[in-house]
Amino acid sequence: MNIGDAAKQCGLPTKTIRYYEDIKLVAPMRSENGYRDYSETDVQRLAFIQRSRGLGFTIDQCRELLSLYDDRNRASADVKAIARLKIDEIDAKINELKSLKKTLKSLVASCQGDDRPDCPIIDDLAGVISTG
């Protein structure tokens, strides 16, 4: 099938599919006229990548997961280890976001929000140290 049909089946833009081909995540056959010819296996791989990316896996992690997907002798423990690492990354990001939220809430609470130009939020962003 052509790239447009593959895109419709897996739900990815053609530009993304071309990128995945450029970085060797998928390698469709080429017809005699040079056009890409995607198989059902290629579409399944693209859907796998899309789902993996949707869960936050990086391109390199997707490459590793695809390698395991292709390996019928894989150990599920290897797949589970990658997923656990992703959970740890997500937990770290959640903690970072909570810290950012706490800082912003504190700044918002310290700002009068009136017509005066004084603003602790701007001062903090500019690195101005309050002398209290």
Side-chain angles (χ1 to χ4, degrees), residues 25-26 39-49 51-52 61-76 78-79 82:
L25 285 179
V26 65
S39 67
E40 287 299 323
T41 301
D42 294 323
V43 172
Q44 288 172 357
R45 287 178 69 85
L46 289 166
F48 183 95
I49 296 164
R51 178 74 174 132
S52 299
Q61 290 166 333
C62 287
R63 192 178 307 283
E64 191 174 358
L65 287 167
L66 277 170
S67 174
L68 291 166
Y69 173 73
D70 292 337
D71 181 1
R72 297 295 169 215
N73 296 313
R74 69 182 168 261
S76 65
D78 295 338
V79 181
I82 295 168

Side-chain angles (χ1 to χ4, degrees), residues 86-102:
K86 179 49 65 182
I87 290 169
D88 291 345
E89 290 174 16
I90 292 168
D91 284 340
K93 187 66 173 177
I94 288 169
N95 289 334
E96 179 185 344
L97 289 171
K98 284 180 178 179
S99 177
L100 290 173
K101 181 180 177 181
K102 181 179 176 183

Side-chain angles (χ1 to χ4, degrees), residues 4-124:
D5 292 335
K8 286 177 190 167
Q9 284 194 24
C10 69
L12 286 170
T14 57
K15 186 175 181 178
T16 301
I17 294 172
R18 285 188 194 98
Y19 170 68
Y20 289 159
E21 182 183 356
D22 287 345
I23 63 171
K24 311 274 190 268
L25 285 179
V26 65
M29 300 295 291
R30 293 281 181 158
S31 62
E32 288 182 21
N33 61 8
Y35 290 117
R36 294 168 180 87
D37 187 17
Y38 290 88
S39 67
E40 287 299 323
T41 301
D42 294 323
V43 172
Q44 288 172 357
R45 287 178 69 85
L46 289 166
F48 183 95
I49 296 164
Q50 180 190 36
R51 178 74 174 132
S52 299
R53 296 287 288 150
L55 289 172
F57 289 101
T58 65
I59 293 293
D60 286 337
Q61 290 166 333
C62 287
R63 192 178 307 283
E64 191 174 358
L65 287 167
L66 277 170
S67 174
L68 291 166
Y69 173 73
D70 292 337
D71 181 1
R72 297 295 169 215
N73 296 313
R74 69 182 168 261
S76 65
D78 295 338
V79 181
K80 187 174 184 176
I82 295 168
R84 283 187 186 270
L85 284 173
K86 179 49 65 182
I87 290 169
D88 291 345
E89 290 174 16
I90 292 168
D91 284 340
K93 187 66 173 177
I94 288 169
N95 289 334
E96 179 185 344
L97 289 171
K98 284 180 178 179
S99 177
L100 290 173
K101 181 180 177 181
K102 181 179 176 183
T103 300
L104 282 171
K105 284 179 89 170
S106 175
L107 289 170
V108 166
S110 67
C111 181
Q112 296 298 316
D114 54 22
D115 292 333
R116 297 179 308 161
D118 298 334
C119 179
I121 300 169
I122 292 292
D123 291 345
D124 185 83

